Amino acid sequence: MKIHEHQAKEILAKYGVPVPKGIVAYSVDEAVKAAEELGGGVVVKAQIHAGGRGKGGGVKLAANPQETREKAEKILGMTLVTHQTGPEGRLVQRLLIEEQMPIDKEFYAGIVLDRAIGKLVFMASSEGGMDIEEVAAHTPEKILKEVIEPGMGLQAYQARNLAFGMGIPVGSINAAVQTMQALAKAYEAIDASLAEINPLLLTKDGRIIALDAKIAIDDNALFRHKDLAALRDLSEEDPLEVEASKYGLNYIKLDGTVACMVNGAGLAMATMDIVQYAGGSPANFLDVGGGANEEQIRNAFRILLSDANVKAIFINIFGGILRCDTLANGVVKAARELDVKVPIVVRMEGTNVDLGKQILRESGLNFGLADGMKDGAEKVVALAK
Amino acid sequence: MSVLVDKNTRLIVQGFTGKEGTFHATQALAYGTNVVGGVTPGKGGALHLEKPVFNTVADAVKDTGANATVIFVPPPFAADAILEAASANIALIVCITEGIPALDMAKVWATIKNGPSRLIGPNCPGVISPGKCKIGIMPAHIHKEGRVGVISRSGTLTYEAVGQLTALGIGQSTCIGIGGDPIIGTNHTDALKLLLADPDTDAIIMIGEIGGDAEEAAAKYYAESGSTKPIVGFIAGQTAPEGRRMGHAGAIISGSSGKASDKMAAMEAAKITVCKTPAELGASMQSRMREAGLLN
């Protein structure tokens, strides 16, 4: 689960990471009031769940409350397009108004899970303010790493290695060490899946400050963080994905025309692949799970059909725990109730497959039955054209 | 022969009396798996499915001589269940549970990785040696006893491959669902080592998906091993958009690592036959085995 920059900074501040003074604003008037309260020059920052906001015109300096009003009017309500939002962009619905900082130099600090060793890795770099993926691709030697032992946290010597290594001046080393240790502490405390401070700022007066912050939280751990779960901003997510999550369906909207309904995440991805291979384009990823019931199938159908781009539906089920007859009953019922107009191709295999096929045939509805995944993909792609 | 599980496997079920535990223990018993009991704290002393229930894994091991356990415990308690099994020195721990917090698994893995227990999963369908022993949630009837090993991160995609093999009359030695989470106990390379060393496994299907670099590492291991056992592979997620989590917590492409194309290239470089779609897995294996004189 992603959260906004202002939320990430509030969390980090609680664990001892220094952040600029800032106030969140949901309207232009609130933005002006925030600027008056902060005094002096401020930064007006669009709050959306995507990076690259500065380049997209979502971050502006304002010297006084009047300028803040002008900038806020421009940014609030704009559709911000960045390299992470896709061409459709994101509507800006809140701003972070922050005090301006006397920038001397920008660094990078971040934590990710290294799957190969099963441990967290703290990454630091002198190349702050850039995309860390770019740094990793072009100048990997400029990324310093320290492995965090589970349950131990980032040790002071590790933070010193990083701080000296990336060229923090001696007078600011202790501040950098404390900041990095605080970031690591926050990561573990909130069950993050990503935490990044970029840039990590060295100010002209030697302070270390998190100028920007990005945090994602492990969805699997939200059960023990009710307070963090409340930070979820549904308006930042695709409405169909939000709807699907209510029914325990794992749905991701894509931009093709062939809707896919599949059980199991691996098979669901492979189904998207084979649709593409057959010359079509998948409209979504949808995993109905191992134990889907008729109700879930019905809701899955409803969600697939609310995507206006969908021209045909491909149901690809390998029945294990989910029996083919249960699925067939759900599909028939849903197709009748929802008066499905687009063609449906069903490929079923596994438990009670014959019974399932019989139910579909005897329904009187026009299902295309496929013999294998490849046949199904070819049939559905032909129908979607 | 086979790997990990066979007729000598003595299985206990953690979360035995719950809905999932009960259903899959029943299925395992019907398949002929030697389920010797189960654990549900607070229900020790009772009988369930005519097998003894214990309060602790230690008690179950002491009483039944169990050498394997399967975990059907909900996510908030699953890390604890794995640690409990490992503390009882059970040889094989299969964790089916999906949705364990990543930091819980990081701690569990750091604690048990150098111990005597082998962990399969979490977030996996389990392990089956057809005709001998089934541990997990896979549908039994699609399998057939034979000589092809299967390794996969994904459940239904494993069934897809197995179903195709069986339809072609090609049986399986052991099918290992290693799990879709970022931190798993037995990775592609570990599973590959077992199957390459197994004299009764002639060929291997290896199925991966986007995220991490475990498939690349396994391909490299295979190339360096000098083994002549044919391997057929597939990578799911060739069309997945970057940065989105596709169902499995581990299936996320971050930056340049974890892409399907990189994995496929690494596998091809290791002389693994890479299928463009999973629909070709069975037929590709059939032709590789014929070429190698393993099949008529």
Side-chain angles (χ1 to χ4, degrees), chain A residues 74-275:
Chain A
K74 273 204 186 107
I75 298 174
L76 201 62
M78 82 184 279
T79 301
L80 187 52
V81 179
T82 80
H83 68 287
Q84 286 185 4
T85 60
E88 71 277 13
R90 278 301 157 68
L91 181 67
V92 180
Q93 301 179 74
R94 57 177 99 172
L95 301 170
L96 175 60
I97 311 299
E98 246 178 23
E99 62 172 330
Q100 289 180 13
M101 284 287 138
I103 301 176
D104 182 15
K105 198 169 173 342
E106 297 184 342
F107 299 88
Y108 170 93
I111 302 175
V112 289
L113 178 66
D114 184 338
R115 304 159 52 123
I117 56 171
K119 291 174 186 175
L120 297 176
V121 173
F122 199 111
M123 298 188 298
S125 175
S126 55
E127 306 302 294
M130 297 168 57
D131 233 354
I132 196 65
E133 285 83 4
E134 290 290 308
V135 180
H138 301 298
T139 49
E141 72 280 0
K142 288 188 172 161
I143 298 180
L144 311 172
K145 292 177 184 170
E146 287 287 341
V147 172
I148 302 174
E149 290 305 320
M152 295 285 287
L154 183 75
Q155 298 300 301
Y157 80 88
Q158 295 180 299
R160 283 197 303 275
N161 286 346
L162 296 170
F164 281 114
M166 63 178 161
I168 303 258
V170 173
S172 301
I173 286 289
N174 284 344
V177 165
Q178 279 166 21
T179 300
M180 289 190 276
Q181 284 190 298
L183 176 63
K185 199 170 147 199
Y187 190 107
E188 296 213 35
I190 63 171
D191 274 297
S193 57
L194 171 80
E196 219 177 36
I197 299 176
N198 189 21
L200 176 68
L201 204 65
L202 172 67
T203 62
K204 291 198 172 108
D205 51 355
R207 288 178 293 155
I208 297 287
I209 289 188
L211 195 62
D212 196 359
K214 189 164 149 189
I215 287 179
I217 295 160
D218 181 357
D219 295 295
N220 288 342
L222 285 176
F223 68 84
R224 60 186 174 210
H225 298 288
K226 300 282 183 254
D227 53 331
L228 297 176
L231 299 180
R232 185 172 173 192
D233 182 355
L234 294 177
S235 70
E236 285 286 327
E237 299 175 32
D238 185 279
L240 289 181
E241 293 178 15
V242 174
E243 179 75 6
S245 68
K246 284 187 207 157
Y247 304 103
L249 299 166
N250 209 331
Y251 171 90
I252 295 173
K253 192 177 174 315
L254 304 169
D255 47 16
T257 58
V258 176
C260 304
M261 189 195 299
V262 190
N263 66 330
L267 191 62
M269 277 193 279
T271 302
M272 289 162 42
D273 295 343
I274 203 167
V275 163

Side-chain angles (χ1 to χ4, degrees), chain A residues 115 118 133 150 218 220 223-224 241 250 252 254 263-267 269-270 272-274 276-277 285 318 320 347 351 373, chain B residues 76 99-102 104 106 141 153-154 156-157 159-160 182 212 236-239 241 244-248 250 255 277-278:
Chain A
R115 304 159 52 123
E133 285 83 4
D218 181 357
N220 288 342
F223 68 84
R224 60 186 174 210
E241 293 178 15
N250 209 331
I252 295 173
L254 304 169
N263 66 330
L267 191 62
M269 277 193 279
M272 289 162 42
D273 295 343
I274 203 167
Q276 179 130 323
Y277 193 68
F285 167 95
F318 205 111
R347 181 278 174 141
T351 313
M373 250 176 110
Chain B
I100 303 177
D104 285 7
H141 68 275
R153 276 207 220 168
S154 142
T156 41
L157 213 41
Y159 312 159
E160 184 71 43
Q238 296 163 42
T239 55
R244 297 301 306 267
R245 179 174 131 160
M246 292 288 163
H248 288 164
T277 80

Side-chain angles (χ1 to χ4, degrees), chain B residues 12 39 54-64 84-85 87-88 90:
Chain B
I12 57 166
V39 176
F54 300 90
N55 285 323
T56 67
V57 174
D59 286 351
V61 170
K62 200 169 141 210
D63 223 71
T64 66
E84 184 182 6
S87 82
I90 290 193

